[in-house]
């Protein structure tokens, strides 16, 4: 049996190619549902919308539960 948990990851990048972070990455979570993670992602995206080199994404982690 498997389950998923969700993380909001990202931060400020060196340029708009988004290939190299400028500093430490941020990881917020875990969240039990994608909807919870989406609310955090929305808030962070709104707070940093004027910063062209800041980006956040939602990452899903699959966890195998013991039988």
């Amino acid at each position: 049996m498997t389950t998923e948990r969700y993380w909001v990851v990202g931060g400020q990048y060196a340029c708009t190619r988004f290939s190299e972070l400028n500093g430490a990455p941020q990881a917020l979570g875990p969240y039990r549902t994608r909807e919870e993670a989406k609310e955090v992602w929305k808030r962070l995206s709104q707070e940093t919308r004027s910063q062209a080199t800041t980006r956040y994404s939602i990452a899903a982690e699959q966890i195998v539960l013991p039988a």
Side-chain angles (χ1 to χ4, degrees):
M1 178 181 239
T2 63
T3 187
E4 286 187 324
R5 62 183 181 180
Y6 300 90
W7 300 82
V8 177
V9 296
Q12 187 173 24
Y13 287 79
C15 68
T16 55
R17 285 183 286 183
F18 301 103
S19 58
E20 182 181 335
L21 281 166
N22 186 19
Q26 293 181 344
L28 296 103
Y31 301 99
R32 298 184 124 198
T33 66
R34 186 168 188 81
E35 289 74 31
E36 286 180 277
K38 188 174 180 180
E39 288 301 314
V40 173
W41 171 82
K42 277 182 175 180
R43 180 180 53 80
L44 287 171
S45 295
Q46 288 294 327
E47 290 173 1
T48 59
R49 85 183 300 168
S50 65
Q51 300 170 13
T53 58
T54 301
R55 178 183 278 181
Y56 293 96
S57 300
I58 297 173
E61 175 185 19
Q62 289 195 349
I63 300 170
V64 178
L65 301 173

